Amino acid sequence: MSFEIVEATITDIQAALDSGEITSRQLVLMYLERIADHDKNGLTINSVLEINPDALFIAESLDVERSLRGPRGPMHGIPVLLKDNINTGDKLHTSAGSLALKDSFAGEDAFIVAKLREAGAIIMGKANMTEFANFMTNGMPSGYSSRGGQVLNPYNISSPTGGSSAGSAVAVACNFCTVSVGTETSGSILNPGNLGSVIGIKPTVGLLSRSGILPLSNTQDTAGPMARTVKDAVLMLNAMLGQDVSDAAMGTNAGKTHEDYTVFLDKNGLQGARIGIPRDYYFEELTEEQLALFNASVELMREMGATIIDPADIRTAREIKYSSVVLNEFKTSINAYLSRLGPGAPMRTLKDIIDYNHAHPVETLKYGQATLIDAEYTSSGTLTEPQYIRDRATDLKLCKEEGIDAVIQEHQLDALLFPADFGARITSRAGYPSIVVPSGYTTAGAPFGVTFSAKAYQEPVLIRLAYAFEQYSKVRKAPSLRSFI
Protein backbone atom coordinates (compact mmCIF):
# COMPACT_ATOMS: atom_id res chain seq x y z
CA MET A 1 0.00 0.00 0.00
CA SER A 2 1.42 3.35 -1.02
CA PHE A 3 -0.31 5.49 1.63
CA GLU A 4 2.17 6.87 4.15
CA ILE A 5 0.74 6.66 7.64
CA VAL A 6 3.61 8.39 9.44
CA GLU A 7 2.63 12.00 10.21
CA ALA A 8 -0.57 11.65 8.15
CA THR A 9 -3.10 14.32 9.13
CA ILE A 10 -6.86 13.96 9.29
CA THR A 11 -7.07 15.90 6.02
CA ASP A 12 -4.57 13.53 4.39
CA ILE A 13 -6.46 10.50 5.61
CA GLN A 14 -9.86 11.81 4.54
CA ALA A 15 -8.53 12.49 1.04
CA ALA A 16 -7.18 8.94 0.83
CA LEU A 17 -10.44 7.51 2.15
CA ASP A 18 -12.53 9.53 -0.29
CA SER A 19 -10.39 8.52 -3.26
CA GLY A 20 -10.44 4.86 -2.32
CA GLU A 21 -6.67 4.72 -1.81
CA ILE A 22 -7.28 3.24 1.63
CA THR A 23 -10.20 2.15 3.79
CA SER A 24 -10.69 2.80 7.48
CA ARG A 25 -10.27 -0.92 8.07
CA GLN A 26 -6.87 -0.82 6.38
CA LEU A 27 -5.99 2.31 8.35
CA VAL A 28 -6.72 0.59 11.66
CA LEU A 29 -4.63 -2.39 10.57
CA MET A 30 -1.70 -0.11 9.72
CA TYR A 31 -1.83 1.49 13.15
CA LEU A 32 -2.13 -1.92 14.83
CA GLU A 33 0.92 -3.15 12.93
CA ARG A 34 2.90 -0.13 14.14
CA ILE A 35 1.77 -0.81 17.69
CA ALA A 36 2.85 -4.45 17.38
CA ASP A 37 6.22 -3.50 15.87
CA HIS A 38 7.14 -0.57 18.09
CA ASP A 39 4.94 -0.33 21.19
CA LYS A 40 5.09 -3.96 22.29
CA ASN A 41 8.48 -5.05 20.87
CA GLY A 42 12.08 -4.13 21.56
CA LEU A 43 12.33 -1.74 24.51
CA THR A 44 8.50 -1.50 24.64
CA ILE A 45 7.17 2.04 24.44
CA ASN A 46 4.09 0.89 26.45
CA SER A 47 1.87 3.75 25.37
CA VAL A 48 -1.10 1.58 24.37
CA LEU A 49 -2.83 -0.17 27.23
CA GLU A 50 -5.67 -1.97 25.49
CA ILE A 51 -7.05 -2.49 21.98
CA ASN A 52 -10.77 -2.45 21.24
CA PRO A 53 -11.64 -5.98 20.02
CA ASP A 54 -14.35 -4.47 17.82
CA ALA A 55 -12.16 -1.80 16.21
CA LEU A 56 -11.94 -3.54 12.84
CA PHE A 57 -15.66 -4.25 12.76
CA ILE A 58 -16.41 -0.60 13.55
CA ALA A 59 -13.98 0.55 10.87
CA GLU A 60 -15.50 -1.74 8.26
CA SER A 61 -19.03 -0.60 9.11
CA LEU A 62 -17.94 3.01 8.70
CA ASP A 63 -16.42 2.11 5.33
CA VAL A 64 -19.77 0.69 4.26
CA GLU A 65 -21.55 3.81 5.48
CA ARG A 66 -19.10 6.03 3.57
CA SER A 67 -19.74 4.10 0.35
CA LEU A 68 -23.52 4.35 0.76
CA ARG A 69 -24.04 7.82 2.22
CA GLY A 70 -20.68 9.56 2.31
CA PRO A 71 -18.71 10.60 5.39
CA ARG A 72 -20.38 12.15 8.44
CA GLY A 73 -17.60 14.71 8.71
CA PRO A 74 -13.84 15.08 9.26
CA MET A 75 -13.68 12.43 12.00
CA HIS A 76 -15.46 9.71 9.99
CA GLY A 77 -13.32 6.57 10.11
CA ILE A 78 -10.49 8.19 12.10
CA PRO A 79 -8.85 5.94 14.77
CA VAL A 80 -8.68 7.47 18.24
CA LEU A 81 -7.06 6.35 21.48
CA LEU A 82 -8.58 7.39 24.81
CA LYS A 83 -6.78 7.90 28.08
CA ASP A 84 -7.64 5.00 30.39
CA ASN A 85 -9.69 7.14 32.76
CA ILE A 86 -12.38 7.84 30.12
CA ASN A 87 -15.42 5.57 30.15
CA THR A 88 -16.46 3.49 27.19
CA GLY A 89 -19.64 1.43 27.08
CA ASP A 90 -18.03 -1.39 25.14
CA LYS A 91 -15.55 -4.22 25.73
CA LEU A 92 -12.79 -1.91 26.95
CA HIS A 93 -11.96 -1.51 30.62
CA THR A 94 -11.64 1.85 32.37
CA SER A 95 -9.00 1.44 35.07
CA ALA A 96 -6.97 4.66 35.36
CA GLY A 97 -3.97 2.35 35.02
CA SER A 98 -4.76 0.60 38.30
CA LEU A 99 -4.73 -3.16 38.79
CA ALA A 100 -7.41 -2.62 41.42
CA LEU A 101 -9.71 -1.58 38.56
CA LYS A 102 -8.41 -4.04 35.95
CA ASP A 103 -11.83 -5.78 35.82
CA SER A 104 -13.86 -2.56 35.82
CA PHE A 105 -16.22 -1.84 32.92
CA ALA A 106 -17.97 1.51 32.78
CA GLY A 107 -21.21 0.31 31.24
CA GLU A 108 -21.77 3.41 29.12
CA ASP A 109 -19.77 5.95 27.16
CA ALA A 110 -18.53 9.17 28.64
CA PHE A 111 -20.36 12.11 27.07
CA ILE A 112 -17.37 13.07 24.91
CA VAL A 113 -16.95 9.46 23.74
CA ALA A 114 -20.58 9.35 22.65
CA LYS A 115 -19.95 12.55 20.68
CA LEU A 116 -16.86 11.05 19.05
CA ARG A 117 -18.79 7.96 17.98
CA GLU A 118 -21.56 10.20 16.66
CA ALA A 119 -18.94 12.00 14.55
CA GLY A 120 -17.77 8.67 13.13
CA ALA A 121 -14.54 8.24 15.08
CA ILE A 122 -13.21 4.73 15.71
CA ILE A 123 -12.44 4.14 19.39
CA MET A 124 -9.38 1.98 18.76
CA GLY A 125 -8.37 1.46 22.37
CA LYS A 126 -7.11 2.92 25.62
CA ALA A 127 -3.79 4.67 26.25
CA ASN A 128 -1.59 4.02 29.25
CA MET A 129 -1.32 6.77 31.85
CA THR A 130 0.28 7.66 35.15
CA GLU A 131 -1.81 5.65 37.58
CA PHE A 132 -4.75 7.59 39.03
CA ALA A 133 -3.55 10.66 37.13
CA ASN A 134 -0.36 10.82 39.22
CA PHE A 135 -2.35 10.89 42.43
CA MET A 136 -1.20 7.49 43.65
CA THR A 137 1.92 8.33 45.63
CA ASN A 138 5.00 10.52 45.89
CA GLY A 139 7.92 9.75 43.61
CA MET A 140 6.10 7.65 41.02
CA PRO A 141 7.65 8.26 37.57
CA SER A 142 5.37 9.96 35.08
CA GLY A 143 3.85 7.45 32.70
CA TYR A 144 3.93 4.50 35.10
CA SER A 145 0.93 2.41 36.03
CA SER A 146 0.69 -0.94 37.76
CA ARG A 147 -1.58 -2.20 35.00
CA GLY A 148 0.35 -0.91 32.00
CA GLY A 149 3.95 -0.51 33.14
CA GLN A 150 6.24 2.37 32.22
CA VAL A 151 5.63 4.51 29.13
CA LEU A 152 8.90 5.51 27.47
CA ASN A 153 9.75 8.72 25.67
CA PRO A 154 10.41 7.75 22.03
CA TYR A 155 12.65 10.77 21.42
CA ASN A 156 15.05 9.91 24.24
CA ILE A 157 14.29 6.96 26.51
CA SER A 158 16.25 8.55 29.33
CA SER A 159 13.92 11.55 29.26
CA PRO A 160 10.59 11.53 31.13
CA THR A 161 7.31 11.24 29.24
CA GLY A 162 5.45 13.67 31.42
CA GLY A 163 2.07 12.83 32.82
CA SER A 164 -0.48 11.87 33.46
CA SER A 165 -1.65 11.64 29.82
CA ALA A 166 1.65 10.01 28.90
CA GLY A 167 0.28 7.27 26.69
CA SER A 168 -2.07 9.65 24.90
CA ALA A 169 0.83 11.94 23.95
CA VAL A 170 3.38 9.25 23.11
CA ALA A 171 0.96 7.18 21.00
CA VAL A 172 0.21 10.24 18.87
CA ALA A 173 3.90 11.16 18.62
CA CYS A 174 4.75 7.62 17.45
CA ASN A 175 1.89 7.50 14.94
CA PHE A 176 0.11 4.65 16.73
CA CYS A 177 -3.17 6.51 16.18
CA THR A 178 -4.32 9.61 14.35
CA VAL A 179 -5.35 11.60 17.43
CA SER A 180 -6.00 10.89 21.09
CA VAL A 181 -7.82 12.24 24.13
CA GLY A 182 -6.05 13.18 27.33
CA THR A 183 -7.26 14.71 30.57
CA GLU A 184 -5.80 17.42 32.73
CA THR A 185 -6.09 18.51 36.34
CA SER A 186 -2.80 20.34 36.64
CA GLY A 187 -0.57 19.93 33.61
CA SER A 188 -1.57 16.41 32.60
CA ILE A 189 -2.13 17.38 28.95
CA LEU A 190 0.41 20.21 28.71
CA ASN A 191 3.27 18.34 30.40
CA PRO A 192 3.27 15.18 28.23
CA GLY A 193 2.39 17.28 25.19
CA ASN A 194 5.53 19.33 25.78
CA LEU A 195 7.75 16.31 26.39
CA GLY A 196 6.20 14.32 23.55
CA SER A 197 6.40 17.02 20.88
CA VAL A 198 2.67 17.05 20.20
CA ILE A 199 -0.15 19.56 20.33
CA GLY A 200 -2.21 19.47 23.50
CA ILE A 201 -5.31 21.59 24.02
CA LYS A 202 -6.34 22.00 27.63
CA PRO A 203 -9.76 23.68 27.32
CA THR A 204 -11.54 25.97 29.73
CA VAL A 205 -13.19 23.94 32.46
CA GLY A 206 -16.77 23.94 31.20
CA LEU A 207 -16.12 23.75 27.46
CA LEU A 208 -16.13 19.93 27.32
CA SER A 209 -18.23 17.57 29.39
CA ARG A 210 -16.49 15.69 32.21
CA SER A 211 -19.33 13.17 32.65
CA GLY A 212 -18.06 9.62 32.55
CA ILE A 213 -14.42 10.46 33.25
CA LEU A 214 -12.76 8.94 36.30
CA PRO A 215 -12.13 12.12 38.29
CA LEU A 216 -9.38 13.70 40.28
CA SER A 217 -10.65 17.21 41.01
CA ASN A 218 -14.18 18.42 40.43
CA THR A 219 -13.03 22.02 40.01
CA GLN A 220 -9.99 21.48 37.77
CA ASP A 221 -10.55 18.34 35.64
CA THR A 222 -11.13 18.55 31.90
CA ALA A 223 -10.52 16.39 28.85
CA GLY A 224 -8.73 17.68 25.78
CA PRO A 225 -7.41 16.60 22.38
CA MET A 226 -3.82 15.61 21.59
CA ALA A 227 -2.57 15.60 18.01
CA ARG A 228 0.42 16.14 15.74
CA THR A 229 -1.00 19.35 14.26
CA VAL A 230 -3.08 22.20 15.60
CA LYS A 231 -5.71 21.63 12.92
CA ASP A 232 -6.13 17.97 13.87
CA ALA A 233 -6.45 18.92 17.54
CA VAL A 234 -9.14 21.47 16.67
CA LEU A 235 -11.05 18.95 14.52
CA MET A 236 -10.96 16.59 17.47
CA LEU A 237 -12.13 19.36 19.80
CA ASN A 238 -15.07 20.07 17.49
CA ALA A 239 -16.12 16.43 17.62
CA MET A 240 -16.27 16.40 21.41
CA LEU A 241 -18.38 19.54 21.79
CA GLY A 242 -21.92 19.38 23.12
CA GLN A 243 -23.95 20.67 26.03
CA ASP A 244 -24.16 18.20 28.90
CA VAL A 245 -26.71 19.25 31.52
CA SER A 246 -25.29 16.74 34.00
CA ASP A 247 -21.98 18.65 34.21
CA ALA A 248 -22.57 21.78 36.25
CA ALA A 249 -19.41 23.46 34.93
CA MET A 250 -20.93 23.62 31.45
CA GLY A 251 -23.48 26.12 32.68
CA THR A 252 -20.70 28.72 32.59
CA ASN A 253 -20.23 28.53 28.82
CA ALA A 254 -23.52 30.11 27.69
CA GLY A 255 -22.86 32.43 24.75
CA LYS A 256 -19.12 31.77 24.90
CA THR A 257 -18.67 28.70 22.70
CA HIS A 258 -18.53 28.04 18.96
CA GLU A 259 -19.81 25.20 16.83
CA ASP A 260 -16.70 25.12 14.66
CA TYR A 261 -13.32 26.18 15.98
CA THR A 262 -11.56 25.56 12.67
CA VAL A 263 -12.67 29.03 11.54
CA PHE A 264 -10.00 30.38 13.90
CA LEU A 265 -7.13 28.59 12.10
CA ASP A 266 -5.41 31.70 10.79
CA LYS A 267 -1.86 31.60 9.41
CA ASN A 268 -1.61 35.32 10.14
CA GLY A 269 -3.00 34.93 13.63
CA LEU A 270 0.07 36.42 15.31
CA GLN A 271 -0.16 39.65 13.35
CA GLY A 272 -1.01 42.40 15.84
CA ALA A 273 -1.38 40.01 18.77
CA ARG A 274 -0.21 41.20 22.18
CA ILE A 275 1.58 38.41 24.02
CA GLY A 276 2.96 38.72 27.52
CA ILE A 277 5.84 36.71 28.95
CA PRO A 278 5.85 36.08 32.71
CA ARG A 279 9.62 35.84 33.19
CA ASP A 280 9.67 36.04 36.99
CA TYR A 281 9.43 32.60 38.65
CA TYR A 282 8.48 30.65 35.51
CA PHE A 283 11.98 30.62 34.02
CA GLU A 284 13.99 29.52 37.04
CA GLU A 285 14.17 25.83 36.06
CA LEU A 286 15.09 26.33 32.40
CA THR A 287 18.48 25.17 31.14
CA GLU A 288 20.47 27.50 28.92
CA GLU A 289 19.56 25.38 25.92
CA GLN A 290 15.84 25.47 26.73
CA LEU A 291 16.01 29.23 27.29
CA ALA A 292 17.63 29.65 23.87
CA LEU A 293 14.83 27.61 22.26
CA PHE A 294 12.21 29.71 24.01
CA ASN A 295 13.81 33.02 23.05
CA ALA A 296 14.10 31.87 19.44
CA SER A 297 10.37 31.11 19.45
CA VAL A 298 9.65 34.60 20.75
CA GLU A 299 11.72 36.12 17.96
CA LEU A 300 9.73 34.12 15.40
CA MET A 301 6.53 35.55 16.85
CA ARG A 302 7.92 39.07 16.56
CA GLU A 303 8.76 38.38 12.93
CA MET A 304 5.15 37.34 12.41
CA GLY A 305 3.90 40.66 13.71
CA ALA A 306 3.23 39.96 17.36
CA THR A 307 3.83 42.62 19.97
CA ILE A 308 5.77 40.99 22.81
CA ILE A 309 5.46 42.44 26.30
CA ASP A 310 8.48 41.11 28.11
CA PRO A 311 8.32 40.86 31.00
CA ALA A 312 4.65 40.71 31.84
CA ASP A 313 5.06 39.20 35.26
CA ILE A 314 2.24 37.67 37.29
CA ARG A 315 2.52 39.46 40.61
CA THR A 316 1.02 36.59 42.60
CA ALA A 317 3.20 33.86 41.06
CA ARG A 318 5.40 33.40 44.12
CA GLU A 319 2.45 33.45 46.50
CA ILE A 320 0.84 30.36 44.97
CA LYS A 321 1.73 27.51 47.31
CA TYR A 322 0.49 24.03 48.07
CA SER A 323 -3.29 23.75 47.95
CA SER A 324 -5.41 21.05 49.61
CA VAL A 325 -8.14 21.39 46.98
CA VAL A 326 -7.29 18.34 44.86
CA LEU A 327 -6.53 16.16 47.88
CA ASN A 328 -9.95 16.86 49.36
CA GLU A 329 -11.88 16.72 46.11
CA PHE A 330 -10.38 13.41 45.00
CA LYS A 331 -12.05 11.31 47.68
CA THR A 332 -15.43 12.92 47.11
CA SER A 333 -15.13 12.63 43.33
CA ILE A 334 -13.77 9.08 43.11
CA ASN A 335 -16.32 7.70 45.56
CA ALA A 336 -19.15 9.28 43.57
CA TYR A 337 -17.71 7.86 40.33
CA LEU A 338 -17.32 4.34 41.73
CA SER A 339 -20.83 4.37 43.19
CA ARG A 340 -22.27 4.86 39.70
CA LEU A 341 -20.54 1.88 38.10
CA GLY A 342 -23.30 -0.56 39.05
CA PRO A 343 -23.69 -3.44 41.51
CA GLY A 344 -21.12 -5.67 39.77
CA ALA A 345 -18.26 -3.18 40.00
CA PRO A 346 -15.16 -4.62 41.72
CA MET A 347 -14.44 -1.45 43.72
CA ARG A 348 -17.04 0.77 45.41
CA THR A 349 -14.91 3.28 47.34
CA LEU A 350 -11.41 4.72 47.53
CA LYS A 351 -10.84 2.57 50.62
CA ASP A 352 -11.64 -0.56 48.59
CA ILE A 353 -8.85 0.39 46.18
CA ILE A 354 -6.40 1.02 49.02
CA ASP A 355 -7.30 -2.32 50.62
CA TYR A 356 -6.87 -4.14 47.31
CA ASN A 357 -3.42 -2.64 46.87
CA HIS A 358 -2.45 -3.63 50.42
CA ALA A 359 -3.53 -7.19 49.62
CA HIS A 360 -1.46 -7.29 46.40
CA PRO A 361 1.64 -5.23 47.27
CA VAL A 362 4.09 -6.87 44.85
CA GLU A 363 1.87 -6.15 41.85
CA THR A 364 0.44 -2.78 42.84
CA LEU A 365 2.75 -0.98 45.26
CA LYS A 366 6.05 -0.65 43.46
CA TYR A 367 6.08 3.02 44.48
CA GLY A 368 3.54 2.89 47.30
CA GLN A 369 0.16 4.58 47.67
CA ALA A 370 0.87 7.39 50.13
CA THR A 371 -1.29 9.93 48.30
CA LEU A 372 -4.31 7.63 48.12
CA ILE A 373 -4.02 7.04 51.85
CA ASP A 374 -3.67 10.77 52.53
CA ALA A 375 -6.82 11.42 50.51
CA GLU A 376 -8.77 8.72 52.33
CA TYR A 377 -7.83 9.73 55.86
CA THR A 378 -7.31 13.50 55.48
CA SER A 379 -10.56 14.22 53.70
CA SER A 380 -14.01 13.72 55.19
CA GLY A 381 -15.44 13.35 51.71
CA THR A 382 -17.84 16.22 52.43
CA LEU A 383 -15.66 19.21 51.41
CA THR A 384 -16.38 20.87 54.74
CA GLU A 385 -12.75 21.13 55.86
CA PRO A 386 -11.93 24.78 56.65
CA GLN A 387 -8.53 24.45 54.98
CA TYR A 388 -10.14 23.18 51.76
CA ILE A 389 -12.61 26.05 51.67
CA ARG A 390 -9.90 28.63 52.34
CA ASP A 391 -7.55 27.08 49.77
CA ARG A 392 -10.24 27.05 47.09
CA ALA A 393 -10.92 30.74 47.65
CA THR A 394 -7.18 31.52 47.71
CA ASP A 395 -6.62 29.64 44.45
CA LEU A 396 -9.27 31.69 42.70
CA LYS A 397 -7.95 34.93 44.13
CA LEU A 398 -4.25 34.37 43.37
CA CYS A 399 -4.60 32.50 40.10
CA LYS A 400 -7.59 34.24 38.52
CA GLU A 401 -8.49 37.70 39.80
CA GLU A 402 -5.11 38.90 41.08
CA GLY A 403 -3.07 36.60 38.83
CA ILE A 404 -3.89 35.97 35.18
CA ASP A 405 -6.80 38.41 34.97
CA ALA A 406 -4.72 41.20 36.46
CA VAL A 407 -1.68 40.83 34.19
CA ILE A 408 -3.81 40.48 31.06
CA GLN A 409 -5.76 43.60 31.94
CA GLU A 410 -2.66 45.58 32.96
CA HIS A 411 -0.93 45.01 29.62
CA GLN A 412 -4.03 44.54 27.45
CA LEU A 413 -2.83 41.10 26.41
CA ASP A 414 -4.36 38.55 24.09
CA ALA A 415 -2.45 35.72 25.77
CA LEU A 416 0.42 34.74 27.99
CA LEU A 417 3.35 32.66 26.74
CA PHE A 418 5.04 30.15 29.05
CA PRO A 419 8.08 27.97 28.43
CA ALA A 420 7.19 24.27 28.24
CA ASP A 421 4.25 23.61 30.58
CA PHE A 422 5.52 25.77 33.43
CA GLY A 423 2.32 27.81 33.67
CA ALA A 424 0.09 24.77 34.16
CA ARG A 425 -0.31 25.16 37.91
CA ILE A 426 -1.70 28.69 37.78
CA THR A 427 -3.85 28.17 34.67
CA SER A 428 -5.31 24.89 35.96
CA ARG A 429 -6.35 26.39 39.29
CA ALA A 430 -7.97 29.25 37.40
CA GLY A 431 -9.76 26.79 35.10
CA TYR A 432 -8.32 28.64 32.09
CA PRO A 433 -7.38 27.26 28.63
CA SER A 434 -3.93 26.58 27.21
CA ILE A 435 -2.38 25.11 24.08
CA VAL A 436 1.13 23.61 24.02
CA VAL A 437 2.98 23.61 20.68
CA PRO A 438 6.37 22.04 19.81
CA SER A 439 9.11 24.64 19.45
CA GLY A 440 12.27 22.58 19.06
CA TYR A 441 14.57 19.90 20.45
CA THR A 442 17.63 19.88 22.66
CA THR A 443 20.92 18.45 21.45
CA ALA A 444 19.98 15.26 23.30
CA GLY A 445 16.81 15.05 21.19
CA ALA A 446 14.40 15.93 23.99
CA PRO A 447 11.39 17.92 22.79
CA PHE A 448 10.67 21.41 24.06
CA GLY A 449 7.51 23.43 23.54
CA VAL A 450 5.79 26.69 24.36
CA THR A 451 2.36 27.15 25.90
CA PHE A 452 -0.16 29.85 25.01
CA SER A 453 -2.65 30.61 27.80
CA ALA A 454 -5.56 33.00 28.15
CA LYS A 455 -8.74 33.73 30.12
CA ALA A 456 -11.84 31.54 30.15
CA TYR A 457 -13.34 30.59 26.78
CA GLN A 458 -10.59 32.33 24.83
CA GLU A 459 -9.87 29.18 22.83
CA PRO A 460 -10.39 31.09 19.54
CA VAL A 461 -7.51 33.42 20.41
CA LEU A 462 -5.24 30.56 21.46
CA ILE A 463 -6.03 28.57 18.32
CA ARG A 464 -5.13 31.54 16.12
CA LEU A 465 -1.83 32.06 17.91
CA ALA A 466 -0.87 28.40 18.13
CA TYR A 467 -1.73 27.68 14.51
CA ALA A 468 0.16 30.68 13.19
CA PHE A 469 3.23 29.78 15.24
CA GLU A 470 3.07 26.14 14.14
CA GLN A 471 2.71 27.05 10.47
CA TYR A 472 5.66 29.41 10.59
CA SER A 473 8.01 27.36 12.77
CA LYS A 474 7.25 23.83 11.43
CA VAL A 475 9.64 22.18 13.90
CA ARG A 476 7.77 18.99 14.80
CA LYS A 477 9.33 15.75 13.60
CA ALA A 478 8.42 12.13 14.18
CA PRO A 479 10.63 10.13 16.53
CA SER A 480 12.92 7.53 14.98
CA LEU A 481 11.75 4.12 16.14
CA ARG A 482 14.37 2.02 14.37
CA SER A 483 16.22 1.14 17.54
CA PHE A 484 12.98 -0.12 19.07
CA ILE A 485 12.44 -2.99 16.61
Side-chain angles (χ1 to χ4, degrees), residues 217-361:
S217 164
N218 185 62
T219 58
Q220 294 180 203
D221 287 351
T222 184
M226 308 195 81
R228 291 180 292 274
T229 69
V230 174
K231 182 178 179 180
D232 281 2
V234 173
L235 288 171
M236 183 76 158
L237 179 70
N238 280 348
M240 293 189 285
L241 294 170
Q243 202 66 18
D244 176 12
V245 295
S246 68
D247 184 348
M250 300 201 78
T252 67
N253 71 27
K256 302 174 184 176
T257 64
H258 303 267
E259 290 185 6
D260 181 9
Y261 283 86
T262 63
V263 299
F264 303 108
L265 296 169
D266 181 1
K267 290 183 179 180
N268 299 312
L270 280 161
Q271 183 69 43
R274 292 180 59 83
I275 300 172
I277 300 177
R279 291 269 174 183
D280 182 47
Y281 176 77
Y282 294 103
F283 283 70
E284 293 178 350
E285 296 180 19
L286 287 182
T287 65
E288 288 187 10
E289 192 172 15
Q290 290 171 333
L291 181 59
L293 287 170
F294 180 86
N295 288 338
S297 297
V298 172
E299 287 308 309
L300 282 176
M301 294 179 202
R302 281 199 178 98
E303 289 178 19
M304 296 186 70
T307 298
I308 306 297
I309 292 82
D310 184 6
D313 291 329
I314 299 173
R315 296 177 182 176
T316 58
R318 294 182 181 275
E319 300 177 52
I320 302 168
K321 308 297 184 183
Y322 167 79
S323 170
S324 67
V325 167
V326 177
L327 182 70
N328 281 279
E329 290 185 346
F330 178 63
K331 179 177 179 178
T332 303
S333 301
I334 190 70
N335 284 348
Y337 170 88
L338 293 171
S339 72
R340 291 192 289 267
L341 290 181
M347 300 288 142
R348 310 299 299 168
T349 65
L350 174 58
K351 188 175 186 306
D352 289 343
I353 293 170
I354 292 169
D355 290 345
Y356 178 93
N357 291 338
H358 276 314
H360 305 84

Side-chain angles (χ1 to χ4, degrees), residues 77-157:
I78 300 297
V80 174
L81 286 176
L82 306 174
K83 189 175 178 181
D84 186 42
N85 59 350
I86 301 173
N87 287 356
T88 53
D90 52 19
K91 298 170 185 175
L92 292 167
H93 301 84
T94 304
S95 71
S98 169
L99 282 173
L101 295 176
K102 63 181 172 56
D103 297 319
S104 181
F105 291 93
E108 63 181 14
D109 286 340
F111 184 94
I112 60 170
V113 175
K115 297 298 294 184
L116 285 169
R117 292 194 204 272
E118 182 183 315
I122 301 165
I123 306 304
M124 194 170 71
K126 294 289 182 77
N128 200 1
M129 60 181 284
T130 315
E131 189 164 346
F132 284 117
N134 204 23
F135 213 68
M136 177 84 175
T137 189
N138 300 315
M140 177 182 283
S142 60
Y144 174 82
S145 72
S146 61
R147 184 170 174 233
Q150 180 66 54
V151 182
L152 299 181
N153 190 319
Y155 290 94
N156 184 329
I157 61 171

